[in-house]
Amino acid sequence: SKGQGMPLGVGCSSPTMTAFIDTSRRLDGEAEEAKCPEDQLFCWYRCMSLADHEIESPTACAERNLGMQCASPRLQVIPDGLKHGDYYPQCTNHTHLTHPYTPYPEIPQQKDICAEDWAEFSAKGDYEHLISVTVPEKLARERAVIVDTKLAWSVVDGADGKKKVKARLAYNNPFGWLAFGFADPEGKHNGMNGGNIILAMPGGNYSPVTGIDFEAPASTGTYKIHDTGSSFRHWQDPIVTEETNTTVSDFEVDDDGCFTALTFESDHINGQKFNVEGTDDVIWAGNHLDHYMGHHGYGGRSRFTINWATGDMTFWTPPVAPDDSDVATSDAEVHSDGKGAYEDGHEDGRQHGDEAEVESENSGLAKNGLLGLAASFGFAAVMHYL
């Protein structure tokens, strides 16, 4: 079924947050407790400022006859702070026994009936260009579930005399959410933070506690991703102005609920103009696992430079430190037939979503700490990207 066309109105750290991970061990083999200043709480592998989370003092929770916990927006408690996600200090009497972490409810998958229809759903159709924007395997990280995704587009003359991008992003998975937009060259998480995007979701009235409200109609809108808070709760209100109303978008879901597409026609997103005669630095991401606007994972997004006029594209790879001489930094060129080369590289990729929010100001300390935890405890924590 196809959504009705509509004009558009489509989580990280604070300066007082410190990455602090104590991976030392006692002789008896037990890990030592992480040490934070009294005005901070160890949560999501770091010391978080209480004041940043509306806890006025170290005794504020006790004065209200409440405990202080590292908890998610769903008030699910992580007692030792050793879990990746959107967790932060909160005053609550919930405990890890009464309210333990539980995964989000998943969207049912129908892989057994979906594969044969993907070629037709993702076909070029009447568009001038069609490329694969599926993240290359070497950029997606080990064990990532890579989602086949294609972008079709034409540059058209609008009724207002402006040249516009008319595009369709086809995603080989059910509808959790799907987004496309501009990367922020200075943005965190590989250009995600600060980006202007178009986003489609299968409902409305989003709450980080209850997820998407399916009593509300599915919708598309233009959004600006928060400069530091990546979780959707930080930027969940669409931008609605006379200018954004000139961007028209829609969504499509096939009859079996197997695939999703985001369509749009505009010369801008939130006033940021498409360079229809040249190149733009763009991103896309999607989620098919849950209805909590959750993470896209390493295989459900990519960033690339696209030439709207010629149909050529280049996958973006992040810069590497000078001593990483074994890692190539050159981009991968892909032409409009969807074929091309990929140069070896690595990225500072991190998962994000409703339970992934904080990035350390001290990336070296965070990296070393996480490696130490993996070695000492068997934990492997990953953070978020787009």
Side-chain angles (χ1 to χ4, degrees):
S1 61
K2 186 174 181 179
Q4 297 180 348
M6 62 190 78
L8 280 178
V10 212
C12 278
S13 63
S14 75
T16 55
M17 186 174 295
T18 305
F20 185 98
I21 304 175
D22 187 345
T23 58
S24 60
R25 299 175 64 87
R26 299 189 183 95
L27 293 178
D28 61 8
E30 294 182 2
E32 292 184 2
E33 182 179 358
K35 303 173 180 66
C36 297
E38 67 173 8
D39 61 348
Q40 298 182 14
L41 179 70
F42 189 73
C43 192
W44 193 42
Y45 293 94
R46 67 208 61 233
C47 295
M48 290 189 176
S49 166
L50 303 182
D52 283 353
H53 298 89
E54 300 180 351
I55 300 177
E56 297 80 5
S57 71
T59 61
C61 295
E63 290 168 359
R64 297 164 52 194
N65 294 318
L66 297 172
M68 185 187 300
Q69 299 282 13
C70 171
S72 74
R74 295 185 288 166
L75 286 178
Q76 296 184 337
V77 175
I78 306 302
D80 53 10
L82 296 176
K83 187 171 180 63
H84 163 73
D86 189 7
Y87 303 103
Y88 49 93
Q90 299 185 60
C91 292
T92 177
N93 283 331
H94 289 190
T95 72
H96 69 289
L97 298 176
T98 63
H99 294 79
Y101 170 78
T102 57
Y104 293 133
E106 293 190 352
I107 299 173
Q109 312 291 298
Q110 302 184 80
K111 294 297 184 183
D112 55 332
I113 65 171
C114 293
E116 63 185 33
D117 298 323
W118 169 242
E120 179 180 357
F121 187 83
S122 61
K124 183 177 181 180
D126 295 330
Y127 294 96
E128 183 177 357
H129 303 284
L130 175 68
I131 60 173
S132 171
V133 294
T134 306
V135 62
E137 184 175 352
K138 292 181 181 180
L139 276 176
R141 298 288 183 91
E142 187 178 357
R143 295 186 300 276
V145 178
I146 297 176
V147 182
D148 192 10
T149 306
K150 296 182 180 180
L151 179 68
W153 79 93
S154 300
V155 175
V156 300
D157 293 317
D160 54 6
K162 298 178 181 179
K163 288 197 174 293
K164 300 183 177 184
V165 174
K166 182 178 181 179
R168 182 177 185 268
L169 181 70
Y171 177 67
N172 187 7
N173 257 321
F175 194 10
W177 60 264
L178 186 61
F180 178 90
F182 291 106
D184 182 346
E186 305 300 324
K188 295 181 178 182
H189 305 115
N190 299 342
M192 178 190 78
N193 291 102
N196 287 302
I197 64 168
I198 301 170
L199 180 145
M201 68 175 77
N205 302 326
Y206 169 78
S207 163
V209 178
T210 59
I212 297 172
D213 176 9
F214 290 97
E215 296 298 320
S219 61
T220 57
T222 63
Y223 296 76
K224 181 177 175 62
I225 301 175
H226 195 278
D227 288 338
T228 56
S230 301
S231 298
F232 187 59
R233 64 185 174 89
H234 294 293
W235 49 276
Q236 68 184 69
D237 295 326
I239 297 175
V240 182
T241 66
E242 290 186 6
E243 184 176 42
T244 62
N245 285 339
T246 64
T247 297
V248 176
S249 77
D250 205 346
F251 62 90
E252 300 174 24
V253 179
D254 70 298
D255 291 338
D256 293 318
C258 295
F259 319 119
T260 311
L262 170 67
T263 64
F264 64 89
E265 180 176 333
S266 185
D267 65 332
H268 71 94
I269 302 177
N270 295 335
Q272 184 173 352
K273 298 290 186 179
F274 288 113
N275 182 11
V276 294
E277 297 181 351
T279 63
D280 281 317
D281 183 6
V282 296
I283 53 178
W284 76 268
N287 169 281
H288 65 281
L289 297 174
D290 62 73
H291 288 138
Y292 277 78
M293 303 300 291
H295 67 77
H296 44 67
Y298 291 118
R301 86 293 183 265
S302 68
R303 176 179 174 180
F304 54 95
T305 300
I306 186 168
N307 189 311
W308 299 110
T310 66
D312 294 337
M313 66 93 84
T314 303
F315 280 109
W316 180 88
T317 55
V320 296
D323 59 350
D324 289 342
S325 55
D326 60 325
V327 181
T329 59
S330 55
D331 292 335
E333 293 188 0
V334 180
H335 303 284
S336 58
D337 60 359
K339 301 177 181 178
Y342 167 66
E343 298 291 334
D344 191 20
H346 89 290
E347 67 176 313
D348 186 22
R350 297 185 169 97
Q351 286 184 340
H352 89 93
D354 185 65
E355 294 198 348
E357 174 185 341
V358 186
E359 180 184 60
S360 167
E361 295 292 326
N362 188 335
S363 59
L365 177 59
K367 181 185 293 185
N368 292 337
L370 289 176
L371 290 175
L373 283 172
S376 301
F377 309 121
F379 289 108
V382 292
M383 304 181 199
H384 60 282
Y385 156 71
L386 180 100

